[in-house]
Amino acid sequence: MARLAEPLPVPDQPEHHYRYDPAKSDAYLATTLSWLGDPAAESYARGMLARLESDSPKRPRRALAARLDLALALLSADQPDEAGHMTIAALSDPHLVPSHHWRAAEVIRALEARRVPAAVELREAYLERCGSSKEPA
């Protein structure tokens, strides 16, 4: 895909949803690998998060989504404690929006299924931040 997109110009408005943006492409790759449980997901998600945290201008919502991608990747890599830390960081972020809720819920359900003690704290944080009507099912 990168080879096909290489000749495309860098968009003048990369935040526009219908413009190709190489940075979004990298983020989508990290998300897709995380959802698939691919072992490469962790390094892609870590790299994406590191880049977003150092980029200027800042893109806090993308960084938040990258934390959730990393949390999901860490579950696949059998690192539930760090996955919990990434999820609580996402839930504590002031840029959390409803489109992030289901992604956090996905990680919380997986932690609960593994009976990770931190899942209780995460569920409580989720309910406090996202509202009881949006409880992770």
Side-chain angles (χ1 to χ4, degrees):
M1 183 169 99
R3 186 173 48 85
L4 293 173
E6 189 176 320
L8 294 173
V10 174
D12 58 343
Q13 295 177 317
E15 294 305 314
H16 193 285
H17 291 292
Y18 300 106
R19 302 269 169 99
Y20 175 75
D21 178 1
K24 285 183 192 173
S25 177
D26 293 343
Y28 293 153
L29 177 59
T31 298
T32 301
L33 292 174
S34 295
W35 283 340
L36 293 172
D38 189 299
E42 183 183 351
S43 63
Y44 273 96
R46 282 189 194 282
M48 193 71 229
L49 180 57
R51 191 170 90 205
L52 286 166
E53 288 178 336
S54 67
D55 270 358
S56 185
K58 298 291 182 196
R59 294 189 171 27
R61 287 188 182 163
R62 284 192 197 177
L64 196 154
R67 278 187 201 87
L68 293 170
D69 287 340
L70 179 54
L72 194 57
L74 289 164
L75 286 171
S76 294
D78 198 28
Q79 298 178 54
D81 292 337
E82 190 178 356
H85 292 300
M86 284 292 138
T87 306
I88 200 71
L91 290 171
S92 303
D93 192 305
H95 297 96
L96 183 77
V97 294
S99 63
H100 295 122
H101 294 180
W102 69 271
R103 300 178 81 188
E106 183 177 18
V107 177
I108 293 167
R109 283 191 305 271
L111 290 168
E112 288 174 332
R114 292 178 182 205
R115 301 184 191 273
V116 174
V120 173
E121 176 189 351
L122 284 166
R123 177 173 283 278
E124 290 171 3
Y126 180 94
L127 293 174
E128 182 180 313
R129 184 69 197 269
C130 303
S132 60
S133 64
K134 296 181 173 135
E135 183 174 343

